[in-house]
Amino acid sequence: MAFENDSFLDLQKFCTELIAKHPEKIFSSSNFTSIPEKALISLIQHDNHQMGEVQVWEHVLKWGIAKNPGLSSDPSSYSNDDFNVLKNDLQHFIPLIKFTEFTSREFLNEVYPYKKIIPDEMCENLVKYFLDHDYVPRKKSEPQIIKELNTKGIDSNIITIQHAELISKWIDGLEITDESKSLYEFKLIFRGSRDGFTARQFHKICDNLSRTVTIIKVKDTNEILGGYNPIEWKNSNNSINCHGTTKDSFIFSFINKENIENHIISRVKNEKYAICNWFNYGPSFGNEDLTLYEGFQSEVSFKNKKSRCCKSSYDKQIRKTEEEFSVDEYEVFQIINDN
């Protein structure tokens, strides 16, 4: 149940660690095959799960076959359509299996009969590896944990795939040169030019949503600003208690959207003031570290020159100036672990 809602991230982590210590309690359960895909992926990715890789593979197969009641447990009876159905259901698991830790016999008996569900290049490299253990596959196709970001279809008028990949690394606490660890989908939930440039519209659509990334295009510049909020947005008119607390939020800027390496990332240092939920602010972070402000004029809008970045609750100033700016466009994405 915890894995059905990303509001329960701490509970998900607790469950995964508990299961990792006693995986047999899950895998020997009569309703093991009903475990959500996301939960099974999380367990497989856990560094300390107490299972051999062959066991992992066997359980993944069992789970995939159970999703298709018409499938036999004997792959020799499969049609091409049967293999394609199973391949589609297990596509996110295959890159997570450490096939090179199998013995040659285990690979021959447990994996090779299912070779049609494994990507061709990976399968070819595995065959070469088990025929010649000195064979070293090209890094691109190395048959071990391979994780790629699911950002190819990102729906954005501001950022590119490359921006999304870097932001995903920051969510995982990584640097630009580090290897990606997670599978994320950037789901567009708000766009200023489509949904409006007022705080009211932002709160109407985005309140109670967690794990969001805000992307802001500064008017009359090539600047992109943004921030990550792992907790839920709220709407508060209480100036004393309008902040949200988290240690995992951050804000960032790209000085020129064409140059991804020219960026600043600023992580929260005062956790109690990480997120600002003031009723006439849009997505805002800290004590004006990054604030979308509509003002109190009769025609309120983030397009008025009222928004600003002033270092306070985060460790770095993300703009060269503290001058107020106008928003040309902004988007809010919910970050979802790819299933």
Side-chain angles (χ1 to χ4, degrees):
M1 292 177 65
F3 278 90
E4 293 177 1
N5 192 317
D6 278 338
S7 297
F8 303 121
L9 295 178
D10 289 341
L11 185 56
Q12 290 178 16
K13 181 179 178 181
F14 173 82
C15 291
T16 300
E17 291 178 351
L18 185 64
I19 295 170
K21 294 177 182 177
H22 306 283
E24 70 283 354
K25 293 185 181 298
I26 293 296
F27 293 123
S28 62
S29 169
S30 60
N31 61 351
F32 153 69
T33 54
S34 66
I35 188 173
E37 181 182 39
K38 181 179 176 182
L40 186 54
I41 287 176
S42 182
L43 175 58
I44 292 172
Q45 289 178 315
H46 196 285
D47 292 335
N48 297 317
H49 68 67
Q50 303 297 310
M51 292 181 292
E53 287 303 313
V54 174
Q55 288 179 293
V56 173
W57 173 245
E58 289 173 345
H59 290 307
V60 164
L61 282 174
K62 179 181 177 182
W63 182 90
I65 292 171
K67 295 298 175 186
N68 300 279
L71 282 184
S72 163
S73 58
D74 178 11
S76 65
S77 66
Y78 285 10
S79 66
N80 286 334
D81 286 341
D82 291 334
F83 278 116
N84 287 335
V85 167
L86 189 59
K87 180 177 182 179
N88 183 63
D89 285 337
L90 299 184
Q91 60 180 314
H92 298 129
F93 293 97
I94 301 296
L96 305 178
I97 307 297
K98 299 175 184 176
F99 290 112
T100 53
E101 294 187 10
F102 287 34
T103 66
S104 297
R105 179 170 294 178
E106 288 169 343
F107 177 76
L108 179 63
N109 294 333
E110 307 297 335
V111 181
Y112 195 71
Y114 295 93
K115 62 182 180 296
K116 289 185 178 181
I117 73 172
I118 299 175
D120 291 342
E121 191 175 5
M122 177 184 281
C123 188
E124 181 181 355
N125 279 322
L126 282 168
V127 170
K128 291 178 180 178
Y129 173 81
F130 284 106
L131 288 174
D132 177 7
H133 283 296
D134 292 327
Y135 171 73
V136 179
R138 288 178 296 171
K139 188 173 182 180
K140 178 181 177 182
S141 307
E142 192 170 355
Q144 51 187 322
I145 297 180
I146 300 170
K147 302 173 184 177
E148 296 178 354
L149 294 163
N150 182 24
T151 52
K152 294 182 179 179
I154 186 169
D155 180 10
S156 176
N157 293 336
I158 307 175
I159 62 172
T160 65
I161 296 170
Q162 288 71 34
H163 293 98
E165 290 176 343
L166 180 54
I167 295 167
S168 296
K169 289 183 180 182
W170 290 338
I171 292 173
D172 287 338
L174 305 176
E175 300 297 332
I176 189 172
T177 55
D178 292 331
E179 183 180 351
S180 299
K181 286 185 176 181
S182 301
L183 299 159
Y184 291 125
E185 174 190 352
F186 279 57
K187 179 182 178 182
L188 180 69
I189 57 177
F190 191 99
R191 174 173 289 147
S193 58
R194 181 190 70 189
D195 302 308
F197 287 88
T198 65
R200 179 181 178 183
Q201 284 300 106
F202 164 72
H203 287 290
K204 178 180 178 181
I205 295 175
C206 297
D207 277 0
N208 303 314
L209 295 179
S210 61
R211 303 194 76 195
T212 57
V213 169
T214 299
I215 306 292
I216 303 160
K217 172 71 172 62
V218 179
K219 188 174 182 180
D220 298 325
T221 75
N222 281 324
E223 277 184 278
I224 296 176
L225 309 176
Y228 170 63
N229 178 12
I231 62 177
E232 294 181 352
W233 291 108
K234 299 294 183 181
N235 190 349
S236 174
N237 59 5
N238 184 338
S239 60
I240 298 176
N241 190 28
C242 67
H243 288 92
T245 300
T246 175
K247 68 181 188 305
D248 296 321
S249 62
F250 58 84
I251 56 177
F252 55 87
S253 65
F254 295 95
I255 309 303
N256 185 332
K257 69 175 185 178
E258 306 300 330
N259 182 3
I260 190 173
E261 295 184 0
N262 191 4
H263 65 261
I264 298 171
I265 175 173
S266 177
R267 296 193 180 273
V268 65
K269 65 177 183 179
N270 191 338
E271 299 174 12
K272 291 183 178 180
Y273 295 93
I275 306 300
C276 187
N277 292 309
W278 188 240
F279 74 96
N280 63 350
Y281 284 177
S284 298
F285 300 79
N287 281 324
E288 299 189 350
D289 292 77
L290 174 56
T291 299
L292 291 196
Y293 178 45
E294 63 184 10
F296 284 101
Q297 295 89 343
S298 58
E299 295 183 4
V300 294
S301 170
F302 300 138
K303 286 185 171 291
N304 293 330
K305 198 170 184 180
K306 294 292 183 180
S307 299
R308 50 188 168 270
C309 292
C310 302
K311 180 179 176 294
S312 175
S313 305
Y314 286 73
D315 62 8
K316 295 176 185 176
Q317 171 73 18
I318 62 170
R319 296 193 78 207
K320 293 181 178 179
T321 175
E322 293 186 356
E323 291 183 0
E324 295 176 333
F325 62 89
S326 298
V327 175
D328 185 47
E329 176 69 287
Y330 86 102
E331 299 168 333
V332 181
F333 299 88
Q334 189 165 37
I335 303 305
I336 300 172
N337 282 80
D338 184 37
N339 290 325

